[in-house]
Amino acid sequence: MLVLLFSQDSNFTKHTTLPDFPACFQLSVLPWAPCIFLWLTSPFYIFYLKRNNRGYIMMSILNRIKTVLGLILWIVCWTDLFSSFHEMSQNQLKPPVYFVTPLVLGMTMLLATFLIQFERLKGVQSSGVLFIFWTISVLCAIVPFRSKIMNASQAEVSQLSLFTMFYIYFGLILLQLILSCFNEKPPLFSSVVTDPNVCPETTAGFLSKMTFWWFTSMAIKGYKSPLENKDLWSLNKHDSSELVVPNLLNEWEVEKSKARVVPASEDQPLLFFCAASREVLLSKRKEARQPSFLRALLRAFGPYFLIGSAFKLLQDLITFVNPQLLRMLIDFTKQPQAPSWWGYSLAFLMFSASLLQTLILHQHFQYCFVTGMRLRSGIIGAIYRKSLVITNEAKRSSTVGEVVNLMSVDAQRFMDLTTFLNMLWSAPLQIVLALFFLWQNLGPSVLAGVAVMVLLIPFNAFIAMKTRSYQVEQMKYKDERIKLMNEILNGIKVLKLYAWETSFKQKILQIRQKELNVLRKTAYLSALSTMAWTSAPFLVALTTFAVFVTVDVNNVLDAEKAFVSLSLFNILRFPLNMLPQVISSIVQASVSLKRIQGFLSHDELDPESVDRRNNTSGNSPHSSHTSLVCALLGEMEKLEGQISIQGSVAYVPQQAWIQNATLRDNILFGRPYAEQKYRCVLEACALTPDLEVLPGGDQTEIGEKGINLSGGQRQRVSLARALYSEADVYLLDDPLSAVDAHVAKHIFDNVIGPEGALKGKTRILVTHGISFLPQVHNILVLVEGRVSEMGSYQDLLKQNGAFAEQMSIMSNDPENPKKMSRRRRCSERRHPESPSEKKELKVEKLIQAETTETGRVKLKVYWEYAKAVGPLLSLFICVLYGCQSATSIGANVWLSEWTNDALLNRTQDRVHMRVGVYAALGISQGTARVSAAHATHLHMLHAVLRAPQAFFEATPSGRILNRFSKDVDTIDSVIPENIDIWMRTFWYTVNVLIVCSALTPVFLIVIVPLMLLYWWVQRFYVATSRQLKRLESVSRSPIYSHFSETVTGTSVIRAYGRNTAFVLLSDMKVDENQKSYYPGIVSNRWLGVRIEFIGNCIVLFAALFAVIGKEKLSPGLVGLSVSYALQVTMSLNWMVRMTSDLESNIVAVERVKEYSETATEAPWIVKDKQPPPDWPPKGNVEFIDYSVRYREGLDLVLRNISLEIKGGEKIGIVGRTGAGKSSMTLCLFRLLEAADGEIVIDEVKISEIGLHDLRSKLTIIPQEPVLFSGTLRMNLDPFEKYSDEEVWKVLELSHLKKFVSNQPSKLELECSEGGENLSVGQRQLVCLARALLRKTRILVLDEATAAVDLETDDLIQSTIRTQFEDCTVFTIAHRLNTIMDYTRVLVLDKGKIAEFDTPTNLLAQKGIFYGMAKDAGLA
């Protein structure tokens, strides 16, 4: 019927200046369209509302008006119906349409009124369905409205009633549309009312949600001042962990229970036959399917995701509307007599189609991203909860690092996948549709073009594979480089003391060179693939058109065919581009899925394995092993028997577990704070003196793993936590091993022993110390996992078994306890220095906050990058990009010329030129990338190695490493990509504007406001999104650090029953991170909608001006300008994204530059002041009125020291902690520069010569032996100055010869990182060997007695006495017996010389030295 209508009425509608639709169409199709929409959607909508109830909204004035209007509309429609019946009764025949339409309309109005109320009851504040319904109704009513006005003059009176009714109807639906733009109040008791910082999305109206208008407030705030955490909105309830994680876990439980259930019918016969053989049963069980985590994910997140997929489907279909409209437009320009209103309506249709596509596409993205976000929350939550309950065996199979990777990398992969997942079905759909329309347009010649596309796919796949293999190779070098860098930073002090920096710099640069070579290859590859992709559309179009014209003489390539095909080929590019990417990310995600599923399927601890109810066990501290304690905690797998514990448990593990929180929080561990009890606990655990030393008392923030506490302090905090928890049973796993002997005694007396705070509680003590055994009730001796003896101390001694034997051995070795306590004392004594470190860290944090929070990135930074590339090359590249885009314009203008005269003669010569420009562009880009990367890294490495020691003490090594890994990587690979895409999109946009303006100069008038709007939107976006990115990355690391902390402390957390508290904490950290991630996603949508709107305006104006100037323009040029404009939206969007990415990433250049400008220490070599090669000949050292401080603004460490030392003297330096002993040696090496005064060595002032000249002439054996990974030979002699014989000789002198010659690789023995594969003693001997090899006149010994056992110590001392007999030796002594035979002893106190004389004289003086000797039992 409609087709008929159109054919007979086409001149009535189209070919007239005053178009109109036929009456039948106006009465049937137009009013029915909105009704059909509403009846189709309402069942689904009602079902959705039933599922998602948001609460109840009070009746408001707005709501009442809407309802009343709905009822009036129903009355109006049915009045029409009754008037039709009335006329029929008067024998006027009416067509059925007059009855059907008012009936349908009336029913629909009732439905709409019902929905208005139903939504109110379900808490919907703004209804999308009704808004769309009213919009369609108004649009459909405009046509009859207009035609009724046109016909009004010749109307009869009988129709007046119909007219008035229709005008009333039109007015009412218009009113309904306007009212539906407003919002209802939020539902009663919803979070909106209670939450101070609620996300405006929850209350936003339908239009605001579609255009993301509700985000504008944050964009403005972020533009005015950098966003902070307090500006972020709280997370929507539906995205929070408390809803997402349980939802996923429930589905996973369902999956697991399904997998457990094996159909009983199969099992029963087996039970009859094989009661004896259990294997058969097991084998049968194994066929039960693995629980699938994927199914759980689909059930938890699938339904929400499908809404996004529905949007995607709509968008795909709308995409193909524009090429069809373009065809009509070109067609229109061909017909000189076509009415202009038709052209205008086409232009506006194109605009509306683009606009609709924009809105729908961004809704789809929003749904996908939110799904991704929930997926990540869910997966992290599931993994965290699982890691609290897995067995120890399972824990061993996946390291902490691996599990953190599951959380960060694998969860991220899922998140990234959700955005593209719909492409799996959408890409094939788009391809099929595009091909269908192309076939309609050009017939079989399309296949030629498609063939080119398909051929490009394997080419690209090949490039992708190669690129990936290069990436793996680059990662390998990068890891090597970072590992070495890490060692250098950890041993920087030693490198400086030995003057070895240059050797290590060479090593790093060698690795870096390899890395850059790989980068260069990657750059050329990517240039190739870029070339392939950019020329692809061109080649495809070329082959298709060439084939089309040559196949058949009658085929004429006109504008319509050419440009419609071009726009279709442009649509095709995207899915073909995406498919390989999607498939590869699906492969990656499936690997991740396997890993996550594997982890979640690990065995869990059986909570029932320990019976915590009945029978008590006596007071029984005993000497045993950790396994027993673990068994008591239910951490081991129970094979048989039973364990029962009555009451609550407190547990002190062997390795103290400390949280990154304040000291007080570590002790309270979630219990309420009680002042009195807390003080007693601190007193009992000997923590009160430590609080005085810590910078913030018990509010001191403790670093991760308790880094700023000494071992003994950590152990005592762990003990205090147990004591504070007031449990019934205490399991103490060797808590006294890490503390000093006198502290151990204090703790035993005050806490554990018979008179301690825990008397009357059950306590089980595992210990290796024997001194406390006489005081315990019961001793249990474990030998190889079995109880060998049990009883009180006296009983066991009488039994004369293994225990008595052990006792006698221990008491015969008098060195043993002393040695233990001495070693401990040093570890304890080191800690008072930690406050200064701690304070520096606090200051340091402030410094860091300053450096990152720059607002706009300064132009200087871009200039730095351009300088690193080379200014001329940079200019050349820009020009090349310009040329490339000019050629692409050329080619398209050419095409439009060709279509106008349909001649195929001159296209070929352009092809060579065009492809040539691509090639040049690709190659020059490749070189630019590598040179920039090389220059920046080189400067930074050089600067860091030249930085003074103070820089390394104030800067955490992690931060320096971060610059070398993350930032250098950004400069290597991310920035060049960004610049490349930015340049391309920039030139592309410029092209479009040039083409449109050249064709229709009026366009220039529109461009100015559009570009202003564009610039304005992007300013807002860039400022806000950059800050959101920063906030997001800052809030991400706490998730992982909290997690790795939890994993190391699971046994403690479980023992105290704090699982739920920790789960909540983790959820909170994840939500905190999502809080900044969510506005980040939305900011992209916000931007997309606005920028694409500008693009759509460009389309609109291009089409409009084409219509206006159609007399002057050929169809080819119209096609050219409009098809260009259709592409511009994409490039505008990308350009803003890239600007923002480039701004975020160019910061890397800034940060690397900041480190390349670190203040350096003095020059390594001063040419005109080089000392003679045999300097120092005698070894005289003189301090003249010498003072020094650690850093500007700190107090002096040494004050006005003057002393003279003759060559060959042996000087001992002693003093209490912090007296300045170590500073004195650092001054000799100029790691600290003088604040005042001089040091003279053999007539040479050391402040005047180069650092390497000085340091290579002195030797030090440092306190902590530092080794680097590499061969032993390299560790002794990195510059390869000495022969093998010399090296073997020093190894013999340092007692390592036997050890080294037993190794298969001899001198080439590989030392692992930090020399982990040698014992501490051996490492110290290697340092001795280094000193012997250098054999200089002055030797400094920073006595490292804490780490070395007595015999190594004696070996070192005797070697030094014989080998360095004629050298000047300075020894910083911690133990006085080593320096009692020295020439003189220097006693320092608070940075001044207190005493300086021979040891015998000093003892006679009865001063400080005498006091120290007396303490050590030497006087």
Side-chain angles (χ1 to χ4, degrees):
M1 165 176 152
L2 288 179
V3 181
L4 275 174
L5 271 175
F6 267 121
S7 58
Q8 68 185 34
D9 291 311
S10 75
N11 36 10
F12 179 51
T13 49
K14 195 172 161 186
H15 301 294
T16 119
T17 42
L18 272 181
D20 200 3
F21 284 115
C24 177
F25 181 77
Q26 288 186 21
L27 275 173
S28 56
V29 179
L30 289 178
W32 292 353
C35 304
I36 293 169
F37 163 80
L38 193 62
W39 285 100
L40 283 179
T41 48
S42 52
F44 299 105
Y45 187 49
I46 290 170
F47 174 70
Y48 167 79
L49 287 181
K50 273 193 140 59
R51 290 280 303 270
N52 294 12
N53 188 355
R54 298 193 194 133
Y56 164 90
I57 298 177
M58 296 291 283
M59 192 64 133
S60 64
I61 299 179
L62 179 66
N63 198 282
R64 290 189 182 124
I65 296 176
K66 282 194 207 166
T67 314
V68 171
L69 288 180
L71 292 171
I72 297 177
L73 271 169
W74 166 65
I75 295 170
V76 169
C77 294
W78 281 23
T79 313
D80 258 1
L81 179 66
F82 291 130
S83 73
S84 296
F85 276 125
H86 173 64
E87 285 177 22
M88 215 175 95
S89 66
Q90 296 185 343
N91 298 335
Q92 293 177 338
L93 276 176
K94 287 255 175 180
V97 168
Y98 282 96
F99 299 100
V100 179
T101 303
L103 182 70
V104 173
L105 272 176
M107 301 288 285
T108 314
M109 292 307 157
L110 277 180
L111 176 64
T113 314
F114 163 72
L115 281 178
I116 291 173
Q117 284 307 316
F118 190 66
E119 286 175 343
R120 179 178 71 81
L121 296 175
K122 295 292 175 197
V124 177
Q125 287 177 265
S126 168
S127 159
V129 173
L130 285 177
F131 178 81
I132 296 171
F133 167 69
W134 297 123
T135 312
I136 301 175
S137 301
V138 170
L139 289 176
C140 290
I142 284 176
V143 178
F145 184 67
R146 178 176 165 274
S147 59
K148 281 202 169 43
I149 289 179
M150 278 163 48
N151 306 337
S153 49
Q154 65 258 31
E156 310 156 26
V157 185
S158 70
Q159 295 207 311
L160 267 177
S161 63
L162 279 177
F163 272 125
T164 27
M165 280 305 164
F166 182 75
Y167 289 140
I168 293 173
Y169 167 78
F170 185 75
L172 289 173
I173 55 176
L174 195 57
L175 206 59
Q176 283 279 32
L177 176 60
I178 294 166
L179 287 177
S180 63
C181 297
F182 294 105
N183 276 3
E184 289 285 351
K185 291 203 288 287
L188 291 177
F189 315 119
S190 71
S191 62
V192 185
V193 192
T194 51
D195 188 352
N197 207 3
V198 71
C199 179
E201 184 189 11
T202 41
T203 56
F206 173 71
L207 277 179
S208 169
K209 275 190 180 149
M210 290 306 280
T211 57
F212 296 95
W213 186 257
W214 54 269
F215 180 76
T216 312
S217 63
M218 183 173 280
I220 293 172
K221 196 185 268 180
Y223 173 70
K224 283 184 182 157
S225 62
L227 290 173
E228 294 168 38
N229 243 346
K230 61 173 195 302
D231 301 326
L232 298 176
W233 298 313
S234 35
L235 206 58
N236 290 338
K237 199 77 170 150
H238 298 285
D239 304 330
S240 65
S241 299
E242 64 171 312
L243 289 184
V244 173
V245 185
N247 184 8
L248 176 63
L249 287 177
N250 293 342
E251 296 297 352
W252 175 234
E253 282 308 319
V254 171
E255 264 307 304
K256 286 203 295 202
S257 57
K258 273 189 191 162
R260 279 191 216 108
V261 175
V262 179
S265 56
E266 297 173 29
D267 274 13
Q268 277 157 351
L270 289 170
L271 290 174
F272 297 136
F273 301 126
C274 339
S277 69
R278 274 159 79 184
E279 297 88 279
V280 185
L281 256 176
L282 289 176
S283 67
K284 202 68 200 162
R285 217 13 75 84
K286 272 191 188 119
E287 289 168 17
R289 69 179 175 84
Q290 274 280 304
S292 145
F293 188 54
L294 183 63
R295 281 206 194 90
L297 285 177
L298 288 178
R299 277 213 300 278
F301 304 114
Y304 186 80
F305 185 69
L306 281 176
I307 304 178
S309 308
F311 278 117
K312 180 72 180 147
L313 180 64
L314 265 177
Q315 192 255 337
D316 283 353
L317 298 175
I318 298 175
T319 309
F320 290 96
V321 173
N322 267 336
Q324 302 311 315
L325 291 173
L326 177 64
R327 159 187 296 157
M328 289 168 158
L329 188 70
I330 295 175
D331 194 34
F332 162 79
T333 44
K334 279 192 210 158
Q335 307 165 347
Q337 80 289 1
S340 51
W341 69 267
W342 178 237
Y344 293 134
S345 47
L346 280 175
F348 277 103
L349 274 173
M350 277 181 127
F351 176 67
S352 340
S354 309
L355 197 61
L356 204 58
Q357 190 183 334
T358 298
L359 293 179
I360 289 175
L361 176 67
H362 287 291
Q363 284 305 315
H364 153 244
F365 275 139
Q366 178 70 356
Y367 275 98
C368 291
F369 274 108
V370 171
T371 311
M373 194 172 109
R374 289 182 185 176
L375 257 178
R376 176 163 169 254
S377 290
I379 290 175
I380 291 182
I383 291 171
Y384 187 87
R385 286 159 171 74
K386 181 75 181 184
S387 64
L388 281 174
V389 293
I390 55 175
T391 58
N392 283 348
E393 194 180 353
K395 212 186 215 166
R396 275 194 292 279
S397 67
S398 40
T399 61
V400 180
E402 279 172 17
V403 184
V404 170
N405 262 349
L406 284 183
M407 279 189 160
S408 51
V409 182
D410 297 328
Q412 194 63 41
R413 285 218 179 120
F414 271 103
M415 202 158 159
D416 298 341
L417 180 64
T418 50
T419 39
F420 298 129
L421 195 56
N422 282 317
M423 287 308 288
L424 252 192
W425 57 265
S426 156
L429 174 76
Q430 285 182 359
I431 293 170
V432 169
L433 281 173
L435 289 181
F436 167 73
F437 286 119
L438 277 167
W439 187 283
Q440 275 195 336
N441 220 3
L442 299 175
S445 340
V446 172
L447 296 176
V450 174
V452 173
M453 281 192 165
V454 172
L455 284 174
L456 279 174
I457 291 178
F459 172 69
N460 276 310
F462 164 73
I463 287 186
M465 274 170 56
K466 275 305 257 185
T467 313
R468 182 158 299 165
S469 68
Y470 283 150
Q471 264 171 351
V472 170
E473 196 180 345
Q474 189 200 340
M475 285 311 282
K476 196 184 79 191
Y477 292 134
K478 184 177 155 188
D479 290 347
E480 252 178 74
R481 177 170 61 92
I482 297 301
K483 183 173 158 229
L484 184 58
M485 199 63 218
N486 189 19
E487 288 191 58
I488 289 181
L489 292 176
N490 288 339
I492 188 85
K493 190 167 172 182
V494 173
L495 283 189
K496 288 189 176 301
L497 290 171
Y498 289 132
W500 279 359
E501 296 103 328
T502 33
S503 141
F504 278 83
K505 184 171 159 188
Q506 279 334 104
K507 285 178 70 176
I508 286 226
L509 289 176
Q510 279 164 3
I511 301 177
R512 178 73 180 152
Q513 200 45 54
K514 289 182 194 161
E515 199 182 342
L516 287 174
N517 293 342
V518 176
L519 253 183
R520 193 168 282 126
K521 289 186 208 161
T522 323
Y524 291 142
L525 266 186
S526 75
L528 253 182
S529 80
T530 305
M531 204 168 100
W533 273 125
T534 36
S535 40
F538 174 71
L539 289 172
V540 169
L542 187 72
T543 42
T544 310
F545 296 152
V547 169
F548 175 69
V549 181
T550 43
V551 170
D552 186 351
V553 189
N554 303 332
N555 283 352
V556 177
L557 185 65
D558 56 3
E560 192 181 316
K561 286 199 167 53
F563 286 104
V564 173
S565 312
L566 263 186
S567 63
L568 285 166
F569 276 129
N570 277 335
I571 291 176
L572 250 183
R573 257 167 79 189
F574 183 65
L576 279 175
N577 239 342
M578 288 301 300
L579 260 184
Q581 275 189 40
V582 172
I583 289 166
S584 78
S585 67
I586 283 183
V587 171
Q588 283 181 341
S590 68
V591 175
S592 300
L593 183 75
K594 264 209 200 72
R595 292 173 42 171
I596 293 175
Q597 187 168 312
F599 181 76
L600 291 178
S601 307
H602 276 325
D603 292 336
E604 299 186 3
L605 287 174
D606 175 13
E608 306 301 305
S609 63
V610 174
D611 173 15
R612 291 207 166 178
R613 292 185 310 276
N614 46 16
N615 83 358
T616 46
S617 49
N619 262 13
S620 57
H622 47 226
S623 161
S624 116
H625 299 291
T626 308
S627 309
L628 180 70
V629 178
C630 287
L632 286 170
L633 286 171
E635 302 273 311
M636 309 290 264
E637 246 174 272
K638 183 165 78 171
L639 298 175
E640 51 190 345
Q642 78 166 50
I643 306 176
S644 46
I645 293 182
Q646 185 177 26
S648 57
V649 175
Y651 168 51
V652 180
Q654 198 166 5
Q655 283 283 314
W657 175 74
I658 304 290
Q659 277 178 280
N660 181 358
T662 62
L663 186 83
R664 177 184 292 186
D665 292 341
N666 263 298
I667 295 177
L668 298 182
F669 206 49
R671 287 194 162 58
Y673 174 68
E675 175 86 28
Q676 189 59 39
K677 175 166 124 184
Y678 180 70
R679 294 275 160 244
C680 297
V681 168
L682 289 181
E683 194 49 56
C685 296
L687 277 168
T688 326
D690 296 291
L691 289 189
E692 288 156 21
V693 185
L694 290 172
D698 67 351
Q699 291 302 328
T700 308
E701 182 85 20
I702 295 178
E704 42 192 318
K705 301 194 187 107
I707 193 134
N708 44 351
L709 296 179
S710 66
Q713 285 172 320
R714 274 178 248 169
Q715 197 60 61
R716 297 204 299 273
V717 169
S718 179
L719 196 62
R721 174 193 302 155
L723 186 53
Y724 193 85
S725 71
E726 293 197 317
D728 303 321
V729 177
Y730 285 78
L731 306 174
L732 311 170
D733 191 349
D734 209 2
L736 302 177
S737 61
V739 296
D740 261 1
H742 67 97
V743 179
K745 184 168 177 346
H746 173 98
I747 290 178
F748 190 83
D749 295 345
N750 287 322
V751 181
I752 309 172
E755 294 307 308
L758 293 181
K759 57 175 183 230
K761 306 264 177 136
T762 307
R763 39 209 191 283
I764 297 175
L765 171 71
V766 177
T767 173
H768 298 280
I770 52 170
S771 46
F772 305 121
L773 288 180
Q775 303 183 40
V776 304
H777 301 202
N778 245 329
I779 298 175
L780 198 82
V781 184
L782 287 191
V783 179
E784 290 173 7
R786 298 183 176 282
V787 178
S788 70
E789 302 172 76
M790 188 173 170
S792 69
Y793 184 72
Q794 299 305 343
D795 297 346
L796 291 183
L797 280 183
K798 286 180 198 140
Q799 284 177 23
N800 242 347
F803 178 75
E805 198 178 327
Q806 207 175 354
M807 286 285 125
S808 60
I809 295 171
M810 281 184 159
S811 48
N812 287 346
D813 175 11
E815 205 33 86
N816 201 16
K818 215 158 101 194
K819 187 174 85 194
M820 288 291 280
S821 71
R822 188 193 72 233
R823 185 184 307 177
R824 296 295 160 228
R825 210 166 32 238
C826 292
S827 78
E828 284 284 307
R829 195 185 295 132
R830 259 186 49 222
H831 94 260
E833 291 166 21
S834 75
S836 63
E837 290 170 35
K838 181 63 193 165
K839 280 184 188 126
E840 278 163 28
L841 280 176
K842 281 194 177 160
V843 176
E844 174 52 31
K845 281 235 173 71
L846 296 177
I847 296 171
Q848 184 185 359
E850 291 299 284
T851 56
T852 57
E853 301 308 324
T854 49
R856 297 294 299 266
V857 178
K858 300 169 200 57
L859 281 173
K860 206 170 94 199
V861 181
Y862 290 105
W863 173 236
E864 281 293 319
Y865 188 77
K867 268 202 318 223
V869 177
L872 280 173
L873 190 55
S874 308
L875 195 67
F876 178 59
I877 291 170
C878 291
V879 173
L880 268 180
Y881 272 109
C883 292
Q884 173 206 356
S885 77
T887 49
S888 81
I889 287 195
N892 278 336
V893 171
W894 193 254
L895 184 62
S896 78
E897 286 301 311
W898 172 20
T899 61
N900 289 342
D901 51 21
L903 286 175
L904 172 71
N905 44 14
R906 303 187 306 257
T907 41
Q908 269 30 30
D909 45 327
R910 287 288 167 111
V911 182
H912 304 302
M913 169 177 148
R914 184 160 176 167
V915 171
V917 171
Y918 277 132
L921 182 80
I923 287 164
S924 65
Q925 205 188 318
T927 47
R929 176 177 188 164
V930 174
S931 57
H934 176 71
T936 44
H937 177 262
L938 181 72
H939 290 315
M940 178 158 81
L941 176 68
H942 186 72
V944 165
L945 288 178
R946 290 286 317 278
Q949 181 65 28
F951 168 75
F952 295 99
E953 285 167 2
T955 315
S957 64
R959 186 170 309 155
I960 302 179
L961 266 188
N962 192 5
R963 305 251 157 138
F964 273 101
S965 54
K966 182 86 172 62
D967 294 336
V968 168
D969 184 53
T970 305
I971 293 174
D972 284 353
S973 37
V974 185
I975 294 181
E977 300 256 296
N978 282 349
I979 289 182
D980 172 42
I981 298 179
W982 190 86
M983 285 295 242
R984 276 192 284 168
T985 51
F986 171 73
W987 282 108
Y988 190 87
T989 315
V990 170
N991 281 356
V992 175
L993 301 180
I994 289 175
V995 169
C996 294
S997 311
L999 298 180
T1000 50
V1002 199
F1003 201 76
L1004 285 168
I1005 305 168
V1006 187
I1007 280 186
V1008 178
L1010 282 181
M1011 287 299 101
L1012 274 174
L1013 181 65
Y1014 170 81
W1015 178 80
W1016 196 68
V1017 167
Q1018 81 109 57
R1019 283 275 304 275
F1020 274 97
Y1021 166 76
V1022 171
T1024 308
S1025 86
R1026 184 181 51 223
Q1027 201 54 28
L1028 284 171
K1029 267 187 196 146
R1030 279 185 196 147
L1031 288 176
E1032 198 268 336
S1033 59
V1034 168
S1035 64
R1036 195 177 325 138
S1037 39
I1039 301 179
Y1040 308 132
S1041 48
H1042 171 71
F1043 176 71
S1044 45
E1045 194 175 81
T1046 309
V1047 173
T1048 46
T1050 38
S1051 49
V1052 179
I1053 294 172
R1054 282 195 292 249
Y1056 287 99
R1058 301 265 304 144
N1059 293 25
T1060 34
F1062 271 77
V1063 165
L1064 280 176
L1065 199 60
S1066 165
D1067 281 356
M1068 206 175 75
K1069 285 185 169 19
V1070 173
D1071 286 349
E1072 201 50 44
N1073 175 244
Q1074 301 288 36
K1075 230 167 79 170
S1076 49
Y1077 175 76
Y1078 183 66
I1081 319 171
V1082 179
S1083 69
N1084 285 339
R1085 303 283 76 77
W1086 180 85
L1087 169 83
V1089 171
R1090 273 141 197 74
I1091 294 293
E1092 285 180 31
F1093 177 74
I1094 295 175
N1096 297 337
C1097 287
I1098 293 179
V1099 173
L1100 171 68
F1101 290 119
L1104 275 182
F1105 295 144
V1107 174
I1108 294 170
K1110 87 167 194 215
E1111 278 72 45
K1112 299 191 282 297
L1113 294 179
S1114 62
L1117 290 173
V1118 171
L1120 176 70
S1121 78
V1122 177
S1123 64
Y1124 251 116
L1126 281 174
Q1127 282 299 295
V1128 79
T1129 16
M1130 264 316 260
S1131 62
L1132 280 176
N1133 214 337
W1134 269 108
M1135 203 163 102
V1136 177
R1137 288 277 169 85
M1138 283 303 131
T1139 311
S1140 137
D1141 280 1
L1142 195 58
E1143 277 214 359
S1144 321
N1145 291 325
I1146 204 91
V1147 173
V1149 178
E1150 196 175 16
R1151 291 167 48 139
V1152 168
K1153 184 169 155 279
E1154 182 192 336
Y1155 272 17
S1156 336
E1157 293 164 356
T1158 324
T1160 51
E1161 48 184 3
W1164 282 342
I1165 290 171
V1166 179
K1167 277 279 179 285
D1168 50 348
K1169 288 277 174 98
Q1170 281 191 297
D1174 61 342
W1175 176 85
K1178 305 197 203 53
N1180 295 340
V1181 180
E1182 191 179 355
F1183 282 75
I1184 307 169
D1185 204 13
Y1186 189 86
S1187 307
V1188 74
R1189 56 167 56 97
Y1190 268 107
R1191 269 212 306 284
E1192 279 305 309
L1194 296 180
D1195 295 343
L1196 291 175
V1197 200
L1198 293 177
R1199 300 152 200 268
N1200 317 356
I1201 289 201
S1202 301
L1203 50 119
E1204 211 173 318
I1205 292 151
K1206 299 276 173 291
E1209 275 198 292
K1210 308 283 177 283
I1211 303 291
I1213 304 178
V1214 297
R1216 305 244 175 245
T1217 308
K1221 303 189 294 284
S1222 315
S1223 319
M1224 194 136 175
T1225 53
L1226 296 180
C1227 299
L1228 275 175
F1229 286 88
R1230 277 178 65 200
L1231 279 186
L1232 295 177
E1233 296 286 4
D1236 208 6
E1238 283 289 353
I1239 298 179
V1240 182
I1241 299 179
D1242 284 352
E1243 278 83 59
V1244 176
K1245 292 184 175 179
I1246 65 168
S1247 55
E1248 292 174 355
I1249 58 177
L1251 292 179
H1252 278 186
D1253 288 332
L1254 167 67
R1255 290 172 184 169
S1256 56
K1257 295 296 201 292
L1258 309 174
T1259 309
I1260 185 165
I1261 301 180
Q1263 191 166 10
E1264 288 112 10
V1266 176
L1267 294 168
F1268 299 97
S1269 55
T1271 61
L1272 182 66
R1273 162 99 222 215
M1274 192 249 10
N1275 265 301
L1276 292 172
D1277 172 24
F1279 293 103
E1280 311 207 333
K1281 284 191 203 156
Y1282 304 98
S1283 66
D1284 279 8
E1285 287 76 61
E1286 291 175 288
V1287 176
W1288 277 111
K1289 183 159 189 306
V1290 300
L1291 283 177
E1292 183 175 9
L1293 289 172
S1294 57
H1295 313 280
L1296 279 169
K1297 187 173 181 182
K1298 186 167 149 217
F1299 167 71
V1300 178
S1301 46
N1302 287 341
Q1303 300 293 331
S1305 44
K1306 304 270 188 296
L1307 285 179
E1308 297 303 308
L1309 164 70
E1310 276 295 327
C1311 302
S1312 63
E1313 195 170 337
E1316 297 287 326
N1317 52 354
L1318 302 177
S1319 73
V1320 183
Q1322 285 168 328
R1323 273 181 259 170
Q1324 196 69 57
L1325 293 173
V1326 171
C1327 289
L1328 177 65
R1330 275 181 197 160
L1332 291 165
L1333 196 55
R1334 286 170 70 128
K1335 195 78 201 283
T1336 56
R1337 301 286 323 190
I1338 298 177
L1339 169 72
V1340 177
L1341 261 179
D1342 195 345
E1343 201 186 57
T1345 44
V1348 188
D1349 54 281
L1350 288 177
E1351 49 192 324
T1352 321
D1353 206 38
D1354 293 341
L1355 287 177
I1356 294 178
Q1357 292 294 346
S1358 61
T1359 310
I1360 288 169
R1361 282 191 175 78
T1362 51
Q1363 294 302 314
F1364 292 98
E1365 208 169 358
D1366 48 353
C1367 302
T1368 312
V1369 180
F1370 292 90
T1371 303
I1372 295 179
H1374 292 266
R1375 294 212 328 278
L1376 300 184
N1377 56 357
T1378 52
I1379 56 164
M1380 284 316 232
D1381 55 349
Y1382 274 26
T1383 343
R1384 287 193 283 174
V1385 173
L1386 169 68
V1387 183
L1388 287 175
D1389 188 36
K1390 296 189 182 135
K1392 295 199 172 86
I1393 302 181
E1395 302 170 359
F1396 186 36
D1397 209 336
T1398 59
T1400 22
N1401 290 356
L1402 288 178
L1403 284 176
Q1405 277 177 26
K1406 299 241 194 280
I1408 299 181
F1409 183 72
Y1410 171 76
M1412 292 170 85
K1414 196 167 155 200
D1415 282 355
L1418 295 170

